[in-house]
């Protein structure tokens, strides 16, 4: 296999609050909403944080999305989602909610009432996945993916384990249905392990490191940082310098113009204006 070159280690950005429920770091930094990370758009990561017991669950109230998908991965705690297409769901540790906003949806995202009453640790990531132009007008959809439905792949030589959320690794297929080809693997490596992972030639690949520390091509990629790989090559090699958790994101680049404003991601400014008008006129529904 030909290794994909590590082209950049993206620094840890400053955190900011989303509503009052999620203190997130936007890990793609200045590469968010560019074709360097396509088909992915951005990744917000909320490191484990303690919340006091409360009868008022923290989170973010009704807001729209259009033109893409939001993928919420819960690492700790329990979240509750509700949207204008009538979907509701509770997702707990290890679960994933894959929401297709496409032509437009209004949703809210809170800590679950039960978890909020108990208080405790919450940690999550939210990935935004772009849709090809031809699919931006698709009907909204909601995939509730349980931890138990996500296959676990043991990596060679006891290096660790990968949960295949989307795509395929060593014959294990992830449950998420996607509009374009991509791999989303939740990876845990043991300290000292070295592993080579197959990533298709031509795919973009980014690897946010949540915990621990990796060495890639002789360079350190510590917790909070993101490795960005070249499209050329068909494998990446990771060496864990500590017990490490990371999220491998790889996919076939969509390579269409990206027009992004707030919660809308289209191909042109005119389409953004249209989405804003659709939202204001109630075409995306309400809660
Ligand atoms: Mn949202």
């Amino acid at each position: 296999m030909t290794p994909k070159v590590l082209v950049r280690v993206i620094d840890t950005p400053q955190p900011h609050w989303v509503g009052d429920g999620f203190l997130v770091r936007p890990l793609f930094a200045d590469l968010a909403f560019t074709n360097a990370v396509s088909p992915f758009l951005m990744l917000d990561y909320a490191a484990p944080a303690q919340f006091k017991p409360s009868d008022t669950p923290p989170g973010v109230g009704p807001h729209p999305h259009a033109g893409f998908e939001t993928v919420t991965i819960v690492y700790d705690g329990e979240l509750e989602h509700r949207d204008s297409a009538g979907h509701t769901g509770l997702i707990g540790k290890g679960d994933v909610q894959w929401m297709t906003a496409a032509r437009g949806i209004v949703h809210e995202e809170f800590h679950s009432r039960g978890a909020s009453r108990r208080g405790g640790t919450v940690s999550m990531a939210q990935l935004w996945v772009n849709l090809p132009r031809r699919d931006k007008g698709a009907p909204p959809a909601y995939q509730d993916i349980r931890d138990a439905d996500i296959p676990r792949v043991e990596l060679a030589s006891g290096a660790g384990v990968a949960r295949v959320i989307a795509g395929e690794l060593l014959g294990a297929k992830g449950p998420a249905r996607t509009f374009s080809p991509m791999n989303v693997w939740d990876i845990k490596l043991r300290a000292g392990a070295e592993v080579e992972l197959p990533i298709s030639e031509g795919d973009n690949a980014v690897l946010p490191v949540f915990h621990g520390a990796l060495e890639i091509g002789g360079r350190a990629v510590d917790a909070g940082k993101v490795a960005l790989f070249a499209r050329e090559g068909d494998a990446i090699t990771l060496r864990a310098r500590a017990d490490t958790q990371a999220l491998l994101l790889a996919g076939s680049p969509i390579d269409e113009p990206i027009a992004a404003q707030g919660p809308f991601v289209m191909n042109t400014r005119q389409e953004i204006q249209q989405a804003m008008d659709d939202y204001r006129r109630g075409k995306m529904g309400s809660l």
Side-chain angles (χ1 to χ4, degrees):
M1 293 203 269
T2 310
K4 285 180 179 288
V5 172
L6 174 67
V7 293
R8 186 173 154 194
V9 179
I10 301 169
D11 275 329
T12 310
Q14 289 302 308
H16 64 90
W17 282 96
V18 175
D20 61 357
F22 311 100
L23 181 62
V24 301
R25 293 178 190 273
L27 292 188
F28 291 173
D30 58 314
L31 294 182
F33 304 99
T34 75
N35 279 325
V37 293
S38 176
F40 310 103
L41 291 164
M42 70 116 207
L43 178 77
D44 273 349
Y45 175 63
Q50 294 297 316
F51 287 82
K52 291 196 177 78
S54 169
D55 288 331
T56 310
V60 52
H63 58 279
H65 291 292
F68 66 102
E69 303 182 287
T70 66
V71 178
T72 307
I73 303 170
V74 178
Y75 291 108
D76 211 346
E78 189 180 60
L79 306 183
E80 193 165 345
H81 283 146
R82 202 159 68 92
D83 72 44
S84 56
H87 310 115
T88 60
L90 277 178
I91 46 172
K93 191 169 181 166
D95 298 339
V96 175
Q97 185 224 60
W98 198 294
M99 187 189 80
T100 305
R103 70 181 175 219
I105 202 167
V106 174
H107 79 158
E108 60 177 30
E109 312 167 68
F110 285 97
H111 296 200
S112 75
R113 278 160 290 190
S116 181
R117 240 176 260 126
R118 290 188 297 275
T121 308
V122 174
S123 176
M124 53 81 76
Q126 188 170 88
L127 173 70
W128 288 15
V129 176
N130 206 1
L131 291 172
R133 189 195 306 264
R134 64 171 185 274
D135 296 315
K136 283 185 184 287
Y142 185 105
Q143 300 176 62
D144 216 346
I145 301 170
R146 298 288 145 194
D147 182 37
D149 299 326
I150 300 172
R152 283 166 168 71
V153 176
E154 292 292 333
L155 302 172
S157 314
V161 64
R163 292 195 316 144
V164 183
I165 296 168
E168 184 172 355
L169 175 61
L170 304 172
K173 284 194 171 70
R177 295 181 305 277
T178 65
F179 285 82
S180 64
M182 71 190 70
N183 289 301
V184 177
W185 306 332
D186 181 20
I187 296 174
K188 282 184 174 164
L189 296 178
R190 292 189 185 88
E194 184 173 310
V195 66
E196 184 180 58
L197 299 169
I199 310 283
S200 295
E201 170 73 34
D203 274 13
N204 279 329
V206 279
L207 183 75
V209 177
F210 296 146
H211 299 285
L214 293 178
E215 188 182 305
I216 304 171
R219 291 172 72 184
V221 186
D222 296 328
K225 301 200 174 185
V226 177
L228 172 74
F229 296 90
R231 290 183 179 180
E232 299 74 26
D234 58 6
I236 60 173
T237 298
L238 312 175
R239 179 175 296 156
R241 304 200 298 180
D243 286 347
T244 294
Q245 187 186 3
L247 188 67
L248 187 285
L249 304 170
S252 182
I254 294 172
D255 281 344
E256 292 173 356
I258 297 172
Q261 186 171 328
F264 306 121
V265 183
M266 311 303 289
N267 298 111
T268 66
R269 298 301 314 162
Q270 196 180 354
E271 288 162 355
I272 290 284
Q273 196 57 52
Q274 184 64 53
M276 290 164 74
D277 288 349
D278 287 350
Y279 171 55
R280 276 196 220 101
R281 289 207 220 99
K283 284 188 175 175
M284 297 181 187
S286 60
L287 280 175

